[in-house]
Amino acid sequence: MSKRFTARTVATAAVLALTAAGLGAPANAAPSSSRTFTVVAEDGVAADTAVAAIRAAGGTVVSRADEVGMFQVSSDRADFAARATAAPTLIGAAEQKAIGRKPKLDRVEQEHLLAAAGARAGAAGAAKKGAKLDPLDDKLWGLEMIQADKARKIEPGDRRVTVGVLDTGVDASNPDIAPNFNWSLSRNFAPDLTDVDGPCEVASCLDPVGTDDGGHGTHVAGTIGAAANGFGLSGVAPNISLVELKGGQDSGYFFLDPVVNALLYAGRSGIDVVNMSFYVDPWLYNCTANPADSPADQAEQRAIIKAVKRALIFAHNKGVTLVGALGNNNEDLGAPRTDVTSPDYGADPYPRPIDNESCWDLPTEGPHVIGVSSVGPSGKKSDFSNYGTEQISVAAPGGWFRDGFGTDTFRTDANMILSSYPKHVLQEEGSVDADGNIVAGFENSVFKQCKANGECGYYTYLQGTSMASPHAAGVAALIVSRYGKAQGRTGFGMSPDQVEQHLYRTAAEHACPEPRLQQYRNEGRDETYDAYCAGGVNFNGFYGYGIVDAYAAVKTPLKPNARP
């Protein structure tokens, strides 16, 4: 998921926090006594009625999303949140405030960079290599695993098909991204917040589209739709259109308002597929009434749950196929452990027993979301990947640094997922120098490709369900390209229910391993990583309906009335 985008614990750097992105005032505005809140109305409450209740509680509506009953509100009343929560027409209010900063390196997605130098010796050892298409495609074992290299001979993607990358942004200057980047549809919904993102790069604090100061979104975009142009590497669906939906901060956090607004925009604009590799912070699970939480925190979480679910339903009903990372918490989402990590910022965490019936890991556990688990080159479930028959839909290559125990590929970068990445982010991370050259010691984890005119692209390895989800999103885009029809004002598309059914029906079935209780002691993991695979060949907790198969998806005739 982004630097924290793993439907929950750490997938790249994205976090869908329950606060908003500050759309009402510049992020660098002068301090004042006024605070900003996200307020969500109860079901069935008219927007004007909710606005009246907000005013009565002492708030001023700054912006509103009537489709989901969500309002951005400013107030100088110290008791505004309590007054809003007490109003019978309002669910609750979540204050927009900094909740912390992302770590310099993500512990899951960038595990290879955190590994000791000695343990990484010989990191050039390669996993199973894919068919060479673009120069770096021989490092993309994931393309071969899902047969995307064969699929493009039948269907490389249709330019009319749009895939929204709801992430930290997309670096459209990369020569593999530029040919497929849709400038007219791309939007930034997440202005920089100086308290978490640092100084604004532009006066408005709203970064221009086509930029990515986090890196996660560019990596996701490359996996979905990097062009097959004889340069760098190619994506699963190399001829589709990539749409930047910047809902994450530069620092990798995802706040409620930008994410909801991005989903609403996707629905209104006729986006075909949206990839979501993030989760809502600072709570590992958002619960309706967890006894361990304070009344204020309970109301805040109820507001988040309602707003995110409404936005997902709205997008789906408008024709958007929703694909999400299942999460990197090595946990069965149907039998969650006691949460001892929340809140993970802003206050000390405390034990929170999780009731599976009233707590959700969002957006992956939200309505209509295709949840994707991660596998390594061997096909084994990545140790960090969430799983479970309750929430999983399919599996896809997400990488696993520790795959291949007992072989020379064990703990090598090539076990992970290679994709596009912004040069300046690599420079900030220390793997590329000021002159744009790869720093010694990073030759096996960072790659540079240049054209004769001096134009260069950069690529690096990451792992996580954040990397698995875009493989599935790419296959979904191929399905729409292959079987979509003229419809609506956008002129082309396909029912998301039909896309989902075909994705499941054509996935490569994968049985549970034996023994079903998988342990990762050889890989250096303790008992908290133990995972039991329930289910049969057709559907199980590790692989869902199977590993997505791009070739089968575009070759198999569509069954209009099929059900998985």
Side-chain angles (χ1 to χ4, degrees):
M1 304 183 103
S2 156
K3 291 228 172 180
R4 303 203 51 208
F5 306 33
T6 308
R8 170 40 223 163
T9 295
V10 272
T12 305
V15 195
L16 177 61
L18 33 140
T19 53
L23 298 178
N28 57 354
S32 72
S33 60
S34 181
R35 295 182 295 165
T36 304
F37 300 83
T38 297
V39 179
V40 179
E42 288 282 5
D43 289 335
V45 172
D48 289 343
T49 301
V51 169
I54 289 168
R55 289 173 179 163
T60 300
V61 174
V62 176
S63 65
R64 51 197 282 179
D66 291 2
E67 297 94 333
V68 294
M70 187 179 76
F71 307 85
Q72 187 178 72
V73 177
S74 64
S75 178
D76 56 7
R77 290 193 64 113
D79 61 349
F80 172 76
R83 289 167 61 89
T85 300
T89 56
L90 304 177
I91 294 176
E95 185 178 357
Q96 299 177 20
K97 58 187 176 182
I99 56 172
R101 294 176 179 270
K102 76 177 180 70
K104 182 175 179 61
L105 294 175
D106 181 88
R107 72 171 179 86
V108 169
E109 293 187 353
Q110 296 173 301
E111 180 186 0
H112 61 311
L113 299 182
L114 294 170
R120 295 183 65 233
K128 185 178 181 181
K129 302 202 177 227
K132 188 176 179 67
L133 302 168
D134 282 358
L136 295 176
D137 281 358
D138 61 352
K139 304 179 187 302
L140 304 186
W141 55 269
L143 283 188
E144 183 178 24
M145 176 178 282
I146 69 169
Q147 301 195 89
D149 49 344
K150 294 173 61 178
R152 70 184 54 171
K153 296 176 182 178
I154 298 175
E155 179 57 74
D158 189 306
R159 190 72 65 201
R160 294 172 294 177
V161 175
T162 50
V163 181
V165 181
L166 208 174
D167 219 292
T168 56
V170 176
D171 178 12
S173 70
N174 185 293
D176 269 325
I177 300 295
N180 293 341
F181 189 76
N182 189 313
W183 290 93
S184 63
L185 286 177
S186 294
R187 297 288 187 276
N188 179 357
F189 299 93
D192 289 345
L193 302 177
T194 56
D195 45 6
V196 292
D197 298 323
C200 296
E201 291 86 1
V202 295
S204 67
C205 289
L206 188 68
D207 294 338
V209 296
T211 62
D212 180 9
D213 293 323
H216 190 269
T218 301
H219 198 279
V220 166
T223 296
I224 295 170
N229 54 1
F231 178 91
L233 49 73
S234 61
V236 175
N239 280 11
I240 54 85
S241 293
L242 294 166
V243 179
E244 174 189 344
L245 301 176
K246 188 179 189 309
Q249 304 303 131
D250 295 348
S251 52
Y253 295 107
F254 282 68
F255 296 101
L256 183 61
D257 275 15
V259 169
V260 168
N261 286 327
L263 287 169
L264 295 180
Y265 173 80
R268 298 185 195 116
S269 302
I271 305 299
D272 293 296
V273 180
V274 168
N275 184 82
M276 301 176 293
S277 293
F278 55 83
Y279 65 91
V280 181
D281 241 2
W283 309 97
L284 175 56
Y285 288 92
N286 283 278
C287 304
T288 56
N290 194 321
D293 299 330
S294 70
D297 287 339
Q298 291 177 0
E300 185 176 61
Q301 291 171 58
R302 287 195 296 271
I304 294 165
I305 293 167
K306 187 65 71 173
V308 172
K309 286 187 174 182
R310 286 173 180 170
L312 292 170
I313 292 171
F314 176 87
H316 174 269
N317 289 343
K318 291 293 185 177
V320 182
T321 296
L322 302 163
V323 184
L326 204 61
N328 299 338
N329 203 41
N330 48 278
E331 182 168 31
D332 182 345
L333 290 177
R337 301 186 293 263
T338 295
D339 174 17
V340 296
T341 64
S342 302
D344 52 6
Y345 295 105
D348 293 332
Y350 53 88
R352 304 172 67 230
I354 299 301
D355 171 32
N356 190 50
E357 298 300 317
S358 60
C359 299
W360 287 269
D361 179 356
L362 295 169
T364 194
E365 291 192 300
H368 307 298
V369 177
I370 298 169
V372 187
S373 68
S374 171
V375 299
S378 68
K380 189 175 180 179
K381 185 188 81 70
S382 308
D383 58 3
F384 54 77
S385 180
N386 284 349
Y387 60 98
T389 55
E390 182 181 278
Q391 298 299 337
I392 193 171
S393 302
V394 290
W400 184 24
F401 179 64
R402 302 186 186 211
D403 204 354
F405 177 76
T407 73
D408 59 3
T409 66
F410 179 57
R411 295 179 66 92
T412 58
D413 297 346
N415 287 333
M416 303 170 76
I417 302 300
L418 184 68
S419 190
S420 45
Y421 213 67
K423 178 178 74 172
H424 72 282
V425 178
L426 292 170
Q427 290 173 323
E428 292 169 2
E429 293 175 354
S431 56
V432 171
D433 65 22
D435 295 324
N437 299 314
I438 298 172
V439 174
F442 291 92
E443 298 90 344
N444 295 317
S445 61
V446 177
F447 299 88
K448 175 183 179 182
Q449 293 271 297
C450 295
K451 294 183 176 180
N453 64 1
E455 185 180 6
C456 299
Y458 291 80
Y459 310 85
T460 195
Y461 286 104
L462 294 177
Q463 68 175 5
T465 56
S466 281
M467 286 64 250
S469 182
H471 281 85
V475 177
L478 290 178
I479 293 172
V480 180
S481 298
R482 183 69 170 165
Y483 303 107
K485 296 180 180 179
Q487 58 179 228
R489 64 184 180 81
T490 57
F492 195 77
M494 185 174 173
S495 160
D497 288 333
Q498 204 170 35
V499 175
E500 181 178 4
Q501 292 160 17
H502 195 68
L503 182 73
Y504 297 167
R505 191 166 66 93
T506 58
E509 293 180 348
H510 198 299
C512 284
E514 292 295 343
R516 285 177 176 254
L517 179 62
Q518 287 291 287
Q519 298 179 327
Y520 299 91
R521 301 297 187 276
N522 289 334
E523 291 81 10
R525 300 303 198 185
D526 62 21
E527 67 279 359
T528 62
Y529 285 81
D530 291 357
Y532 182 82
C533 183
V537 175
N538 294 335
F539 183 84
N540 60 67
F542 280 12
Y543 302 97
Y545 289 103
I547 298 174
V548 295
D549 188 327
Y551 182 60
V554 300
K555 185 181 179 183
T556 305
L558 192 65
K559 238 186 200 180
N561 299 318
R563 289 292 183 273

